[in-house]
Amino acid sequence: MRAAQNGDGAAYERLLREVTPFIRALVRRHCRQPSDVEETVQETLLTVHRVRQTYDPQRPFSPWLAAIASRRAIDGLRARLRIGRHESSELGVYETFADPAANNEVEGVRAAEEVTLLLRQLSPGQRQALESLKLREMSLAEASAESGQSIAALKVNAHRALKALRALFQEPKD
Amino acid sequence: MQTEQLIRSLAQDLTPVRPLRAPPLRALAWLAVVAAISALIVLRFSNLTVFAERMATPRTAMDWIATGITGFAAAWAAFELSIPGASPRWALLPLPSFIVWLCASGLGCLANGLGLQATGNPLGESRHCVVFILAASVPLALALFAMLRRARPIDPVPVAALGTLGVAATAAFLLQFFHPFDVTAIDLALHLAAIAVVVLIGLPLRRLLLRPA
């Protein structure tokens, strides 16, 4: 370490490589996830680099290094606990519980699928009237021109389609 | 990034560093800076005759010396704790002198009473003490934290707590040069409150003041 303080890069690289297993063993006392262990080992190495001026060559090296590793392991634990309180790594949770906006989106897709299935059960005339007037929001004249149905027939079909859909929605689902 | 890659990049970026001096030497260096600046201010603005008369009383002298030792001991402990691997027991270093300070001041309070003023501001002259401790703590803290932050402490909370205690107690020590009356209960309470305020202001600013690693 004394050589590293003097700027000897080769000695520093050798030292860091030799102490990494020691740091890893210390960190494993605080966390078990291999990815967390490696992240903390790297944090420890970065901290050693930042505070290398605090090492006193007259004092033993291990307690100095162990104190840094323990501190970074504890900081890592705290950070993971803090993150764990607000975030979840389970993506499915967002779709059903955590994020209301995500739920709305999912529910919207489901509702659209359900309505599509029910629309198929209507007669072609009723379905066409409903799609033109309610879903595509066309005027009666535009819908009549497109479908070939009279305006009166469109009104009747749209009314019957809504009534039929209401009845289909109220039917118990298996 | 893999650990191996990180090690290589750290070794490539390596620049020489000068190891920090031993914590007691760094604490003494801070004390020397404080003493030099304070001596100029005290010699210029303090009434040393009044001060000498007050210090002729052993209890007052003990109170004053214990305050100064508390300030220096807290600063020393902050320097020690800024180094990784320092024993947490260093935090207790200012405790004995702090107890002596409280006992000596407590005896003064018993002798001088509460110190409430019959008229006007109930806090009397003691309110100036608060202003002095708060104001004097600022330059003392700037000097101390400029030195402490070189260590980039890995656990900044005890370093910031002891550092701010050190500057506030040192400010209380310097206050005695400008304190024309003996301690009273209100006076002591305000001194301690001012010290607590300095510590409570310093703690949330620890990241800014200490640049922890």
Side-chain angles (χ1 to χ4, degrees):
Chain A
M1 191 65 195
R2 190 196 305 237
Q5 285 177 328
N6 291 330
D8 184 342
Y12 189 45
E13 189 172 339
R14 201 165 54 247
L15 172 80
L16 293 184
R17 197 163 284 134
E18 281 174 11
V19 298
T20 299
F22 173 67
I23 297 171
R24 202 171 278 131
L26 278 172
V27 171
R28 278 205 190 105
R29 289 183 196 168
H30 297 276
C31 56
R32 297 189 185 283
Q33 281 283 340
S35 59
D36 294 341
V37 170
E38 216 48 36
E39 190 182 321
T40 310
V41 168
Q42 293 185 8
E43 280 293 328
T44 305
L45 292 171
L46 281 168
T47 308
V48 165
H49 188 74
R50 288 187 201 122
V51 303
R52 61 193 188 280
Q53 73 281 6
T54 64
Y55 172 65
D56 180 357
Q58 309 296 323
R59 294 186 183 187
F61 177 68
S62 301
W64 179 83
L65 179 65
I68 296 171
S70 297
R71 171 51 48 187
R72 286 292 91 112
I74 291 165
D75 289 346
L77 267 179
R78 281 182 186 155
R80 282 191 289 279
L81 276 173
R82 202 165 47 239
I83 290 167
R85 272 192 220 118
H86 304 290
E87 294 180 16
S88 171
S89 57
E90 182 59 56
L91 288 173
V93 171
Y94 289 103
E95 292 173 11
T96 48
F97 299 111
D99 188 347
N103 282 347
N104 289 344
E105 206 170 305
V106 173
E107 292 305 316
V109 172
R110 282 185 190 151
E113 284 171 357
E114 203 172 343
V115 168
T116 307
L117 287 173
L118 293 175
L119 281 175
R120 283 184 194 154
Q121 295 181 39
L122 300 175
S123 70
Q126 288 175 357
R127 188 166 65 240
Q128 195 174 33
L130 197 69
E131 280 176 355
S132 303
L133 295 176
K134 304 296 177 189
L135 300 180
R136 292 160 68 192
E137 296 180 345
M138 292 166 83
S139 67
L140 279 167
E142 287 169 340
S144 174
E146 189 186 82
S147 64
Q149 296 184 52
S150 66
I151 289 177
L154 276 172
K155 281 182 180 174
V156 170
N157 274 335
H159 175 73
R160 285 180 180 165
L162 285 175
K163 199 174 170 186
L165 271 181
R166 203 171 290 128
L168 286 169
F169 267 115
Q170 283 167 359
E171 272 181 13
K173 290 169 192 163
D174 44 27
Chain B
M1 187 190 271
Q2 297 294 312
T3 306
E4 264 301 310
Q5 277 177 288
L6 176 69
I7 290 173
R8 272 198 297 276
S9 68
L10 290 178
Q12 278 165 9
D13 294 343
L14 187 69
T15 50
V17 288
R18 201 177 64 191
L20 296 176
R21 290 184 196 284
L25 293 180
R26 297 173 66 214
L28 282 171
W30 171 73
L31 189 65
V33 171
V34 170
I37 298 168
S38 306
L40 291 174
I41 296 169
V42 166
L43 290 173
R44 175 73 183 81
F45 297 106
S46 170
N47 187 338
L48 288 175
T49 314
V50 174
F51 173 73
E53 281 171 9
R54 287 190 56 231
M55 290 304 141
T57 315
R59 184 195 47 74
T60 313
M62 188 193 291
D63 182 348
W64 179 63
I65 291 166
T67 312
I69 292 174
T70 302
F72 178 69
W76 180 1
F79 277 110
E80 289 286 352
L81 289 172
S82 69
I83 304 296
S87 167
R89 279 180 295 185
W90 277 107
L92 301 175
L93 188 67
L95 193 60
S97 53
F98 186 64
I99 291 169
V100 173
W101 172 18
L102 285 184
C103 290
S105 296
L107 286 174
C109 295
L110 286 177
N112 300 317
L114 201 56
L116 282 173
Q117 306 295 303
T119 56
N121 192 314
L123 302 180
E125 291 298 311
S126 297
R127 67 186 190 280
H128 298 305
C129 302
V130 175
V131 176
F132 183 95
I133 290 174
L134 295 179
S137 291
V138 174
L140 294 177
L142 289 177
L144 182 64
F145 282 95
M147 295 173 79
L148 281 172
R149 78 202 311 261
R150 288 191 58 208
R152 303 199 61 185
I154 55 172
D155 186 6
V157 174
V159 179
L162 285 158
T164 45
L165 174 64
V167 297
T170 306
F173 169 79
L174 294 173
L175 169 69
Q176 293 303 320
F177 287 104
F178 308 94
H179 206 260
F181 57 92
D182 201 3
V183 68
T184 61
I186 288 292
D187 195 40
L188 175 63
L190 285 177
H191 290 191
L192 294 176
I195 289 168
V197 167
V198 172
V199 175
L200 290 174
I201 290 172
L203 271 177
L205 296 175
R206 61 186 180 275
R207 297 215 156 263
L208 179 73
L209 295 169
L210 290 168
R211 205 170 52 106

